[in-house]
Amino acid sequence: MKTLLALMLFAALLPAAAQPEAKPDRTVSIVAERFFFSPSRITVKQGALVEFVLTSEDTEHGFHLAAARVNAVIPQQGKGELRVRFLASKKGKYAFECSRACGAGHNLMRGEVVVK
Ligand SMILES: [Cu+2]
């Protein structure tokens, strides 16, 4: 009993940094598939904290969103998802692209995030 109480106290005193991350304002699912992202154009509101949840319908793909300094792997179908956060602080258009050689149309595999 004393141990439990001590644990509860400890949890209550944990610094803010140890708390779970802030909830995103919006979650957007994106499906990657040879050779496109869908949706490939995502419009978000300025100031929003957006979480992209990326899954693949076939092979491994990459998600390179330079504006967020993100370049990560979207696992192949059935092997999970990639979650990426983007704070839409400035209005504009931010390109993203596949960053894993995934076949003949790889260079066409791109999209953009529009912050309004
Ligand atoms: Cu690719």
Side-chain angles (χ1 to χ4, degrees):
M1 194 61 201
K2 261 188 184 170
T3 314
L4 182 64
L5 189 65
L7 276 175
M8 284 165 69
L9 263 175
F10 178 71
L13 294 172
L14 278 178
Q19 301 289 327
E21 285 185 297
K23 257 195 137 193
D25 299 305
R26 197 175 149 201
T27 301
V28 180
S29 296
I30 303 175
V31 175
E33 186 177 1
R34 291 189 184 100
F35 295 100
F36 52 88
F37 289 99
S38 64
S40 61
R41 190 166 200 266
I42 298 125
T43 304
V44 301
K45 270 191 190 160
Q46 186 180 18
L49 175 62
V50 183
E51 185 168 74
F52 297 115
V53 182
L54 295 118
T55 52
S56 172
E57 288 283 291
D58 44 40
T59 186
E60 233 178 51
H61 290 284
F63 183 70
H64 180 212
L65 176 61
R69 292 189 183 166
V70 164
N71 190 0
V73 174
I74 307 166
Q76 69 179 81
Q77 186 178 36
K79 297 279 167 129
E81 63 190 18
L82 168 69
R83 283 181 180 259
V84 164
R85 288 188 166 205
F86 174 67
L87 180 61
S89 44
K90 267 186 170 176
K91 287 183 185 177
K93 291 180 177 179
Y94 304 97
F96 61 84
E97 64 196 4
C98 178
S99 53
R100 285 252 149 175
C102 57
H106 167 68
N107 291 334
L108 306 171
M109 203 170 159
R110 44 189 69 236
E112 66 180 5
V113 181
V114 182
V115 180
K116 280 188 177 171

